[in-house]
Amino acid sequence: FLSEGPSADEVQRSVMSGLSSELDGLESVGGFGGKAVALAQGQLFAGDPAYFRQQIRRFATSTPAQVRETASRWLSRPVFSLTYRPGPRTDTGDGRGGAVSAPSIDATTQAAFAANYFQVPSSATERVMGGMVPLAAPKASSYNQTDAPPAPGASPSAALPAATALTPPELQPIGNLDFPAIERATLRNGIKVYFARRAAVPLVRANMVFDAGSAADPRDRMGLQNLMLSLMDEGTTTRNSRALAEEQERLGAGISTFGGVDDSGVSLYALSTNLRPSLALMADIVRNPAFAAAEIERLRVQQLTGISSELNNPNALAGRVLSPALYGPTHPYGATAASGTRATVAAITRDDLTSFHQRWIRPDNASIFVVGDTTLRNLVTELNRAFGDWRPPSIARGTKDFSASLPQQTPHILLVNRPNSPQSVIVSAQVLDGVTGRDDLLTLRSANDVLGGNFLSRINMNLRETKGWSYGASSRIGSVRENLIFRVTAPVQADRTGDSIREIQSDVSNFVTSNGVHAEELARTVNGSIRGLPGQFETAEAVLGGIQQIVQLDREDDYYEQLASRYRSMTAAEMDAALRERVVQSKMVTIVVGDAAVVRPQLDGLNLPVEVIDPASLGG
């Protein structure tokens, strides 16, 4: 590399994918990137908050010669090599080989250091940075305790100029959310398109969603959706996996597959200027998967390895027990796991993959959701170019039957034996009678926030803060489209498993009987929900998810814009009634994953039937 340098194509691919990623990051305000970080780094390192523009321009105009020259300058330098040889350890970690204890520094010395190196911001630009800024030229290159401290009797802050008093702005009322307008269109072949314009960055995000998901998996082929989706972007009839990856880099695009319980799909993010070729590449992946034999076997091994990993994960083990126990073997949601079992994944053939693709990944089962820097007119033109001539195959479209009867729900415990586990994972859950994801559940979800839905909730504060038995416990209402479940999840120390179940039962029972939402809990929940709305839709990706929820759950287009007003009018009595009407403790099934030798004696004191399950049986 140092002698020849990169090719022009390698540089182009690196530049386009890097620019796309940088622009995508700049859409966010802060966090581990975003506008705030870009501005702050520019001010800190270059004295210019807009310095990120120069960095982008330099990166965008990089040439193979410049890259080779830079590599030769830095990668040919002598290497620093460090060999670490561990010394003897103690229980406390004291006396480790190479450990260094820093000398204590008194307040006077700290003040002298601050006076020597920093000054209080005086200009408006400096004040924007929110604190001290380095002097242009430090008075000394180093400072330690041998340097002369300030004169005796001098104030530690005597060398610092007086800070300018800043008056914080008045807090303004939180208004309603301004959610982007949703525009609609239909392609030539009938595919529905839902679009919202967001021009903050020159990018477009799109999800092509199919009504499939793991709920569409045949019981003897569980894991089929996962394997099919994994294979779709690993090669088409015209491009192998490497060609697909390189073309995405050239375009600055990202194409990936995703699958849930109810849906399967393909997502795209692309530079606005490269929308046409990016959609063409996406269409090739959606319409023409190769399902090459070598790729099938490679990804089958990966999926089987993932199943083995799940069988070593207590949360995954609980999930493998929960769905069949609540929904039963014939319900679409009753599969052991989306990844399947060893037996079902091993049995999948190429014909199974192509048949699943033809039945479910087809234009008469698709919707397209798009957010970004384009117009609906231009978008429809490009989508018709990529997908408008796509016709359904002759095979019948897949259907899912949610009419299956659910198992009778009675209180009992399913214990998954995980020997030598220092912790138990508790999951107590029930199917909510007659409740679907399309129902108006805002009040129910708010009530759940008080019970177990956030950090300050009753269940978490009890098990984590009061008892100290868990790092974190929570409850939640499911998010599938049909039969929803209520579940409490609590990883707890093994010797407190039985006690923790009692506390969960007590917390739920108190809420649904006499101890409903308090005034303080109501105010905290309402204020937190309202104030979190603006950040909830900070990015185009978040807006894309919001639009999908509106369309798929049959909500009004202004659903999110009305949330603040609805939260403000919510009462404690309404929240109490919403949860008490639906959560019934006598229908709660409890799964415990832990060491049966430690846990079983504790469970026997709960007066509930206990069934012990061998985790090996859950992997098929």
Side-chain angles (χ1 to χ4, degrees), residues 130-166:
M132 290 183 155
V133 295
L135 291 167
K139 298 177 184 177
S141 59
S142 62
Y143 189 89
N144 56 53
Q145 287 190 301
T146 62
D147 293 325
S155 169
S157 60
L160 299 176
T164 303
L166 297 177

Side-chain angles (χ1 to χ4, degrees), residues 158-175:
L160 299 176
T164 303
L166 297 177
T167 303
E170 292 283 336
L171 289 177
Q172 300 299 313
I174 303 296

Side-chain angles (χ1 to χ4, degrees), residues 315 318 322 326 424-432 448 451-453 457-460 462-463 470 472-478 485-492 500-509 579 583 585 588-592:
N315 291 291
L322 181 66
L326 292 184
S424 298
V425 170
I426 301 168
V427 178
S428 292
Q430 70 160 105
V431 178
L432 299 174
N448 178 68
L451 176 61
S457 66
R458 295 184 186 180
I459 291 174
N460 188 59
N462 183 13
L463 292 182
S470 174
S474 64
S475 65
R476 72 184 187 92
I477 309 295
I485 66 171
F486 166 78
R487 65 189 291 176
V488 180
T489 304
V492 301
S500 297
I501 294 175
R502 287 190 184 90
E503 291 299 322
I504 292 170
Q505 292 174 336
S506 176
D507 286 337
V508 175
S509 177
L579 196 135
V583 174
Q585 269 200 303
M588 299 280 280
V589 176
T590 299
I591 291 94
V592 177

Side-chain angles (χ1 to χ4, degrees), residues 244-571:
L244 286 174
E246 289 181 348
E247 187 63 18
Q248 289 179 69
E249 290 179 354
R250 289 188 190 97
L251 295 171
I255 302 174
S256 59
T257 59
F258 62 88
V261 177
D262 292 308
D263 297 314
S264 308
V266 179
S267 65
L268 164 74
Y269 80 84
L271 294 166
S272 312
T273 52
N274 287 342
L275 182 58
R276 176 177 296 180
S278 298
L279 284 174
L281 188 62
M282 179 186 186
D284 192 25
I285 290 172
V286 170
R287 300 172 61 173
N288 307 310
F291 298 133
E295 297 289 354
I296 292 174
E297 295 313 313
R298 181 174 68 85
L299 292 182
R300 189 200 308 273
V301 169
Q302 289 186 5
Q303 192 157 321
L304 290 170
T305 303
I307 292 171
S308 297
S309 178
E310 289 178 23
L311 297 178
N312 288 316
N313 183 308
N315 291 291
L317 285 171
R320 284 178 170 264
V321 175
L322 181 66
S323 293
L326 292 184
Y327 291 111
T330 60
H331 193 280
Y333 294 162
T336 299
S339 56
T341 68
R342 294 189 184 100
T344 59
V345 172
I348 295 173
T349 66
R350 186 179 186 280
D351 287 343
D352 293 327
L353 293 163
T354 57
S355 175
F356 191 94
H357 184 273
Q358 289 178 342
R359 293 185 65 214
W360 298 97
I361 310 303
R362 48 194 287 158
D364 55 348
N365 195 40
S367 300
I368 301 177
F369 302 86
V370 184
V371 175
D373 183 24
T374 185
T375 64
L376 181 63
R377 181 175 181 177
N378 179 64
L379 176 65
V380 170
T381 298
E382 300 305 337
L383 286 174
N384 269 323
R385 185 186 299 270
F387 295 102
D389 63 345
W390 189 21
R391 297 289 180 262
S394 57
I395 187 173
R397 184 175 66 180
T399 59
K400 292 173 281 189
D401 181 9
F402 287 95
S403 64
S405 298
L406 299 175
Q408 184 70 29
Q409 297 185 53
T410 57
H412 63 283
I413 296 174
L414 299 170
L415 172 59
V416 182
N417 183 23
R418 193 167 182 263
N420 302 316
S421 179
Q423 181 174 263
S424 298
V425 170
I426 301 168
V427 178
S428 292
Q430 70 160 105
V431 178
L432 299 174
D433 288 342
V435 179
T436 74
R438 293 182 296 277
D439 295 330
D440 183 357
L441 302 176
L442 187 69
T443 307
L444 175 63
R445 294 188 186 279
S446 296
N448 178 68
D449 284 344
V450 174
L451 176 61
N454 58 42
F455 184 84
L456 295 177
S457 66
R458 295 184 186 180
I459 291 174
N460 188 59
M461 294 302 286
N462 183 13
L463 292 182
R464 175 188 163 110
E465 299 299 314
T466 302
K467 298 297 190 297
W469 299 338
S470 174
Y471 183 75
S474 64
S475 65
R476 72 184 187 92
I477 309 295
S479 56
V480 293
R481 204 166 298 156
E482 297 298 333
N483 309 87
L484 297 187
I485 66 171
F486 166 78
R487 65 189 291 176
V488 180
T489 304
V492 301
Q493 61 191 65
D495 62 340
R496 291 293 188 175
T497 303
D499 293 333
S500 297
I501 294 175
R502 287 190 184 90
E503 291 299 322
I504 292 170
Q505 292 174 336
S506 176
D507 286 337
V508 175
S509 177
N510 284 339
F511 193 106
V512 300
T513 54
S514 59
N515 191 14
V517 176
H518 303 162
E520 178 187 354
E521 293 171 327
L522 173 65
R524 184 176 67 231
T525 300
V526 167
N527 289 337
S529 298
I530 293 173
R531 293 167 183 171
L533 282 172
Q536 185 178 340
F537 297 105
E538 178 184 27
T539 65
E541 184 175 16
V543 173
L544 193 64
I547 295 174
Q548 285 183 222
Q549 290 286 297
I550 286 173
V551 173
Q552 294 175 334
L553 300 182
D554 302 324
R555 293 170 173 168
E556 298 296 326
D557 283 10
D558 64 350
Y559 174 81
Y560 293 108
E561 294 179 323
Q562 298 301 320
L563 284 183
S565 297
R566 294 185 61 193
Y567 281 126
R568 291 189 190 100
S569 63
M570 196 175 291
T571 67

